[in-house]
Amino acid sequence: MAEGRVNRREMILQTLAQLLEDTPNQRITTAGLAKQVGVTEAALYRHFPSKRKMFDGLINFAEDAVFGRCPQILESEPDVRERLALLTRLLLVFAERNPGIVRVLNGSALNGEDDQLQARASQFFERFELQVRQVLKLGDIEQQQTPQGSYGQGAAFIMAQLEGRIQRFTRSGFRHKPTSDWDRIWPQVLEVVYEELEVA
């Protein structure tokens, strides 16, 4: 019985994510979502007491998928630059594979929703930026890889590249993939973070 309930919850979240991907210009209603899932609105609310809780469920999924991998990257890769490369690719690949959820994380699907939900979604990127900042700090302490400026400035610059790509992905209707050419551009990002640009 409990397993069926969990499966139905997962089905609701998967359907919501798919609707967010397929209908980016339409507001998702609980009536429309219930119809897609094949249940009544009352049944929908037995699994989630509000639409906000459904969005919360998608954010939780994103946090588990991304931040659950971060400790593994830190343990398996000692070099700070490789850690950063793996972390940035992790976020971009997740975004590319989950376009509907990304619309929640960057707020484009939350127009008309309450401010607390908007703040909850933005914490995802703030938390990832904190992870990048910690990696930069560890690289400085353990490997004498010192970024120019502060750790915060380095992390902010990296996040600007990542969030810009993710924003462009959603704005383009998911045509411009966030991982496109990233491996070619990443060394240039590192050059700026560590101030290694050649001086004429």
Side-chain angles (χ1 to χ4, degrees), residues 7-78:
N7 289 341
R8 181 56 60 86
R9 283 175 61 88
E10 291 176 355
M11 184 185 302
I12 291 168
L13 292 179
Q14 289 170 2
T15 303
L16 175 57
Q18 194 63 52
L19 285 172
L20 289 167
E21 178 180 350
D22 294 341
T23 57
N25 298 318
Q26 297 180 24
R27 194 164 188 266
I28 307 299
T29 64
T30 52
L33 177 59
K35 183 177 180 180
Q36 287 293 319
V37 176
V39 299
T40 64
E41 276 191 86
L44 204 67
Y45 284 120
R46 281 199 293 272
H47 295 280
F48 293 95
S50 66
K51 191 164 69 167
R52 177 183 174 176
K53 288 296 183 182
M54 297 177 203
F55 283 125
D56 270 336
L58 293 181
I59 296 170
N60 287 336
F61 172 80
E63 289 175 337
D64 290 344
V66 172
F67 297 112
R69 277 281 293 133
C70 289
Q72 299 171 27
I73 289 173
L74 298 183
E75 291 173 10
S76 64
E77 181 51 66

Side-chain angles (χ1 to χ4, degrees), residues 73-88:
I73 289 173
L74 298 183
E75 291 173 10
S76 64
E77 181 51 66
D79 182 74
V80 59
R81 299 183 189 219
E82 286 303 315
R83 282 178 173 178
L84 291 170
L86 291 172
L87 284 174
T88 55

Side-chain angles (χ1 to χ4, degrees), residues 135-161:
V135 169
L136 288 170
K137 183 176 181 178
L138 281 174
D140 189 13
I141 294 171
E142 297 174 354
Q143 301 166 32
Q144 290 73 54
Q145 296 281 333
T146 306
Q148 66 163 318
S150 66
Y151 308 128
Q153 289 171 333
F157 178 75
I158 290 173
M159 289 304 299
Q161 314 312 307

